[in-house]
Amino acid sequence: MRPSRLLVLAAAVLLAAACGTPEAASDHASTPTPSRTQPQTAPTSPSAPATTPTRAAPLGTVPPPWLGTRVLATNADGYVSARPTPPALRNRRFTLPDQLAALPGSGFASRVAAPAPARVIARSTWQPACPVAADDLAWVRLTFRGFDGERHTGELLVNRSAADDVVAVFRRLWRADFPVEQMHVTSRAELDAAPTGDGNNTSAFVCRPVTGGSSYSVHAYGLAIDVDPFQNPYVKGDRVIPELATSYVDRSRCRPGMIEPGGPVTSAFASVGWVWGGTYRSLKDLQHFSANGR
């Protein structure tokens, strides 16, 4: 079956079943376990150290060494075709190293700087032509739960009018133990980089047009957030973004990080009046939440 037909069929399943109780990982690497009755072999010499067989990490729990490095070719129309998800990412549940110093404490914590410091604006995608003034952006640092179950510290650049609501949302996600892979301010280099189809940064402000259009995205105002994009891709027809996230088009197989109707993520954003892109009719932007519903 051609990839485009496969994606159309998968998209039909998109809202057919909500993600239920997380299933046990089915694509773990396994190592045979020695039988208890197997005789033990003595060391060949008294000085030879005993060795313990190493067990391969389950697929999906460790980032593959090629992550973010394999550039995908674009089509004649300038887009990148969706691709089958590599086995190492079909049950993606690792957390990348934090890029900020940890906030103090052991529970949820946040810090808001409004306006955002000039040094933070300088490493973002902001430029004078953006539709929001730099002074209208706030730098929000907060803690989140990683897929490893540990406490991590990330950052979001948001419209300062929404800073308190954003903190309230992620406080709820912390209490719900919802996992996030990474969270950092998107840089110009990342925005301009060639596509690899495997990114998964939870982010807010990005000064760019809407996907497939020319007008500014709500992200360019700091009034939208994408959460775990790989587990929650953008789907329109045979287009999937990130392009390697096609395994996650099927929402009937629940895996960590997936956003579901009525789940902790949709409920948290609904509590501050933000709208989920998973409710759109002409497409499904499963990662996307915005203050104005666009």
Side-chain angles (χ1 to χ4, degrees), residues 68 122-126 184-196 206:
R123 59 182 174 83
S124 76
T125 59
W126 187 88
H184 65 260
V185 172
T186 302
S187 68
R188 172 58 57 179
E190 289 176 288
L191 183 61
D192 295 339
T196 58
V206 184

Side-chain angles (χ1 to χ4, degrees), residues 9-45:
L9 288 175
V13 181
L14 199 60
L15 295 182
C19 185
T21 303
E23 62 179 333
S26 59
D27 54 359
H28 286 188
S30 60
T31 301
T33 302
S35 168
R36 291 181 180 272
T37 59
Q38 183 176 350
Q40 298 298 312
T41 304
T44 56
S45 69

